[in-house]
Amino acid sequence: MKKLFIILISVLFFFSCQTNVEHSKSNTDYTLKRGSEINTILAQFSINSHPEAFKPSSSTPPKNTTLYYIDNSEKSVPVWLDETSKTVFFYADGVTTTNGTNKLVLNEDSSCMFQNCSFISIDLSLFDASSVSNMTSLFAYCYSLKSINFNGFDTSNVTTMEGMFYDCRSLTSIDLSHFNTGKVTNMGYMFDGCNSLESPDFSNFDTSKVT
């Protein structure tokens, strides 16, 4: 019965990633695609490889490298795989964390963005999450994930974090001190299956609207 329940939950998370949602409208070229669309792009790198890191590059992509674009304009934010370092890099000219300006704007629906990834570490320090409302299954089934850089990650408008870290079985610690959960109504299965997670600090979590 327990096995059947786990399968059912997995199916529900899968279909939640397939929901068609209109792209967020923005005047900036740095607004990213929906999470499920980025997930499809990242999956291309895992066909013949198992990349271990996702992080920004300080330089433009190397020549003769296969590029994919994760922004809505499909011209501003390329991602590529460096086989030598087993790293998926992303690059955007002029994007910086200085004074919190010019960050990459995550889509309102960023659900499933890294679902099923093979990454051990993910750097989100250049991402502006202030417009995101849906973070369902953001890191679900990332079995090898051990480190996430949430520096400056703004979750003040997120309403659902269902299954956000579902089955991240290698995650031992996580810094949630910057998480604003004041608008979150759904935290179901958020850390379910995170059996290696040691003493997470939820002291700043506002669960007043969770049902």
Side-chain angles (χ1 to χ4, degrees), residues 67-169:
L67 302 178
Y68 298 90
Y69 288 85
I70 60 174
D71 60 294
N72 279 336
S73 69
E74 297 193 349
K75 63 181 181 180
S76 299
V77 189
V79 292
W80 68 94
L81 172 65
D82 178 67
E83 293 278 4
T84 302
S85 63
K86 294 184 178 181
T87 298
V88 173
F89 287 104
F90 62 89
Y91 176 80
D93 185 33
V95 172
T96 176
T97 56
T98 303
N99 298 322
T101 60
N102 298 327
K103 287 190 175 184
L104 298 174
V105 181
L106 284 172
N107 196 286
E108 178 183 352
D109 179 9
S110 289
S111 61
C112 309
M113 185 170 171
F114 295 102
Q115 181 174 283
N116 291 312
C117 77
S118 60
F119 300 134
I120 295 175
S121 64
I122 295 175
D123 186 346
L124 299 176
S125 60
L126 284 181
F127 289 92
D128 177 358
S130 62
S131 297
V132 180
S133 62
N134 188 355
M135 287 188 177
T136 300
S137 302
L138 185 61
F139 306 102
Y141 308 108
C142 293
Y143 302 135
S144 301
L145 188 59
K146 294 182 178 180
S147 173
I148 309 171
N149 183 354
F150 281 123
N151 186 35
F153 207 62
D154 182 353
T155 61
S156 59
N157 284 308
V158 178
T159 57
T160 177
M161 292 182 173
E162 182 180 11
M164 186 172 176
F165 302 97
Y166 187 85
D167 219 1
C168 289
R169 56 187 68 171

Side-chain angles (χ1 to χ4, degrees), residues 1-8:
M1 180 65 72
K2 182 178 180 180
K3 185 176 182 181
L4 178 61
F5 177 74
I6 292 174
I7 293 174
L8 178 60

Side-chain angles (χ1 to χ4, degrees), residues 35-51 54 68 70 79 81 88 112-119:
S36 58
E37 293 176 297
I38 294 177
N39 182 272
T40 299
I41 291 172
L42 295 178
Q44 300 299 313
F45 300 123
S46 299
I47 295 176
N48 297 310
S49 180
H50 289 86
F54 178 85
Y68 298 90
I70 60 174
V79 292
L81 172 65
V88 173
C112 309
M113 185 170 171
F114 295 102
Q115 181 174 283
N116 291 312
C117 77
S118 60
F119 300 134

